[in-house]
């Protein structure tokens, strides 16, 4: 360790004794009564010492008034360099500043708010303008141009957005119009994957609702298909009683509001009647003469005995 380093860590005696000078400097820049007790000092270098005083200002718990004093070489007069309010080891500090683009969360935007999109946003890529070659992964890329040339289709001049009339069917501009590519920027593959992951996490096959569903959305009558490549895995729910009404849902998602989950059974057919109620059965009040064991011819002897 060099001698200069040793001297820098050893407080200068005159600067260390200048506590009253440092307090006066702190009271000059602070409000009356907010400079507290002396809390120590630290050597900043050769003949440079910083004194710390307690801060009694409300709302600045743990902060300290720091006054740096120094003296010239071979001089016996100590002067004040600066005085400031600095946070101590236990000071209450505001959280580290984070750019607004990193603080923004879904749902933070309100009416009238504007959210500028970065020019280098990975979720977007340039659309087809007609002035340059389409991007390699675009729907109107080189393969589409070769197909148009093979079919002897019409190729318009100029940018599709500046066409006076609608582009003719079969031209590259018409294909771009149909696919929704006549925009300054469109979703990139990264943007598509990010949206798909986000939607699948909210309304996908791994959610508790889908795990308990009787069937998936792919067979539900309330599912509204969407266009584009995302339509192969997602749709829009149109069931007002479903928790996903109006939301983009995965085809593997499901809920209890499935259109075929509670189909009403047909009413049971009654069994054929055992008794024919359409025919009247006669019930005579008196038995017929030939229904018993007594002969039809009666003799006086049997009649007296009460035989039937």
């Amino acid at each position: 360790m060099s001698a200069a380093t040793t001297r820098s860590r050893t407080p200068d005696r005159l600067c260390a004794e200048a506590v009253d000078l440092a307090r006066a400097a702190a009271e000059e820049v602070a409000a009356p009564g907010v400079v507290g007790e002396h809390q120590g000092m630290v050597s900043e270098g050769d003949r440079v010492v910083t004194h710390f005083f307690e801060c009694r200002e409300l709302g600045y718990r743990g902060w300290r008034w720091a006054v740096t004093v120094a003296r010239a070489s071979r001089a016996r007069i100590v002067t004040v360099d600066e005085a400031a309010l600095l946070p101590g080891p236990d000071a209450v500090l505001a959280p580290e500043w984070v750019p607004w683009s990193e603080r923004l969360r879904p749902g933070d935007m309100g009416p009238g708010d504007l959210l500028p999109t970065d020019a280098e946003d990975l979720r977007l890529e340039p659309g087809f303008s007609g002035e340059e070659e389409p991007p390699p992964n675009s729907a109107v890329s080189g393969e589409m141009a070769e197909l148009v040339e093979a079919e002897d289709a019409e190729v318009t001049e100029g940018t599709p957005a500046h066409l006076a009339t609608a582009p003719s069917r079969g031209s590259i501009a018409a294909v771009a119009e149909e696919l929704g590519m006549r925009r300054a920027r469109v979703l990139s593959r990264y943007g598509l994957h990010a949206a798909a992951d986000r939607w699948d996490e909210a309304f996908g096959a791994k959610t508790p609702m889908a795990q308990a569903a009787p069937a998936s959305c792919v067979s539900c009558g309330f599912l509204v298909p969407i266009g584009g490549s995302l339509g192969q895995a997602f749709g829009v729910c149109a069931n007002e009683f479903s928790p996903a009404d109006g939301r983009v849902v995965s085809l593997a998602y499901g809920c209890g509001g499935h259109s075929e989950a509670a189909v009403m059974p047909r009413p049971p057919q009654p069994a054929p009647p055992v008794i024919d109620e359409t025919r009247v059965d006669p019930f005579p009040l008196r038995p017929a003469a030939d229904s018993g064991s007594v002969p039809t011819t009666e003799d006086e002897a049997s009649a007296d005995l009460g035989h039937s």
Side-chain angles (χ1 to χ4, degrees), residues 112-168:
D113 295 341
L114 298 179
L115 178 61
T117 305
D118 190 5
E120 302 297 332
D121 197 326
L122 297 178
R123 300 171 300 172
L124 300 172
E125 65 182 10
F128 176 69
S129 62
E131 297 177 354
E132 300 178 354
E133 290 294 329
N137 58 347
S138 174
V140 289
S141 58
E143 292 81 1
M144 183 64 68
E146 295 177 0
L147 180 60
V148 170
E149 183 178 358
E151 295 182 355
D152 195 17
E154 178 185 357
V155 179
T156 58
E157 298 180 359
T159 306
H162 295 82
L163 294 178
T165 59
S168 302

Side-chain angles (χ1 to χ4, degrees), residues 217 219-224 258-260:
C217 293
S219 60
C220 182
F222 294 106
L223 181 73
V224 179
H258 194 279
S259 61
E260 311 303 325

Side-chain angles (χ1 to χ4, degrees), residues 1-221:
M1 183 178 296
S2 62
T5 305
T6 304
R7 287 196 304 269
S8 63
R9 293 186 176 181
T10 302
D12 181 75
R13 182 179 62 83
L14 295 179
C15 292
E17 294 176 353
V19 177
D20 295 338
L21 177 65
R23 177 183 293 277
E27 293 177 347
E28 183 178 354
V29 299
V34 299
V35 179
E37 300 295 331
H38 186 260
Q39 292 185 338
M41 59 183 177
V42 62
S43 177
E44 305 288 356
D46 292 343
R47 297 178 299 278
V48 180
V49 174
T50 299
H51 293 270
F52 297 103
F53 299 90
E54 177 189 3
C55 178
R56 297 177 179 175
E57 184 77 25
L58 296 178
Y60 286 86
R61 185 183 62 187
W63 289 64
R64 301 179 299 181
W65 290 102
V67 181
T68 303
V69 296
R71 70 179 181 89
S73 177
R74 299 181 181 179
R76 302 187 62 83
I77 300 176
V78 179
T79 58
V80 177
D81 282 358
E82 61 179 353
L85 182 62
L86 300 179
D90 301 328
V92 178
L93 301 176
E96 184 179 358
W97 182 81
V98 180
W100 69 267
S101 58
E102 300 180 12
R103 298 196 306 268
L104 192 65
R105 292 294 180 268
D108 289 348
M109 291 187 60
D113 295 341
L114 298 179
L115 178 61
T117 305
D118 190 5
E120 302 297 332
D121 197 326
L122 297 178
R123 300 171 300 172
L124 300 172
E125 65 182 10
F128 176 69
S129 62
E131 297 177 354
E132 300 178 354
E133 290 294 329
N137 58 347
S138 174
V140 289
S141 58
E143 292 81 1
M144 183 64 68
E146 295 177 0
L147 180 60
V148 170
E149 183 178 358
E151 295 182 355
D152 195 17
E154 178 185 357
V155 179
T156 58
E157 298 180 359
T159 306
H162 295 82
L163 294 178
T165 59
S168 302
R169 185 175 180 83
S171 63
I172 295 182
V175 175
E177 176 73 20
E178 183 177 356
L179 297 178
M181 303 291 293
R182 289 182 61 186
R183 291 170 287 171
R185 287 188 291 179
V186 295
L187 274 176
S188 63
R189 292 186 180 272
Y190 172 77
L192 289 172
H193 284 291
D197 293 341
R198 188 171 60 252
W199 296 341
D200 188 74
E201 182 178 357
F203 297 98
K206 297 182 180 180
T207 58
M209 182 67 72
Q211 294 291 334
S216 59
C217 293
V218 68
S219 60
C220 182

